[in-house]
Amino acid sequence: MSTTTLQIRVEDSLKEQAMALFERLGLDLPTAIRIFLKKSVSENGVPFEIKEKPRVSIAGLEALYALNAEAVRTGKAGLTEEEIEAEIALAHAENN
C-alpha cells in the first residue's frame, strides 16, 4: 500500500495539548489522525456531531431586554414557572 505525506497547520498550543492527550491514551499524533480519517471514511462523514453555535441577533437581544424591563416595571420579573403558566391561562381567559 502506498502512502502520502499530509501536512496541516495548527496552533502550537493545540498541537501540544493534542499530543499530550493522545500520549495519555497510548497513541501518537499521526496514529490519532489516521484513526480519525479511517472512522470518517467508515461512517461516510465526520465521526461526531458538529453544531453551529446559536446566534443571537442584536434585535433579539433588544427585544429580550425590553421584555425584561416590562416585567420589572409590572412586577412580573422573577415569577416561578407555575406563576407564568397562571398568567398565560388568565390572559387566554380574558381574550376568549
Side-chain angles (χ1 to χ4, degrees), residues 12-32:
D12 290 337
S13 64
L14 175 60
K15 178 185 174 189
E16 295 304 319
Q17 290 172 358
M19 287 175 63
L21 168 65
F22 296 135
E23 184 177 319
R24 291 191 305 272
L25 297 172
L27 302 169
D28 60 12
L29 190 57
T31 301

Side-chain angles (χ1 to χ4, degrees), residues 3-9 30 33-34 36-37:
T3 63
T4 187
T5 300
L6 177 67
Q7 288 185 319
I8 61 171
R9 293 191 182 278
I33 292 170
R34 277 192 298 277
F36 170 78
L37 294 174

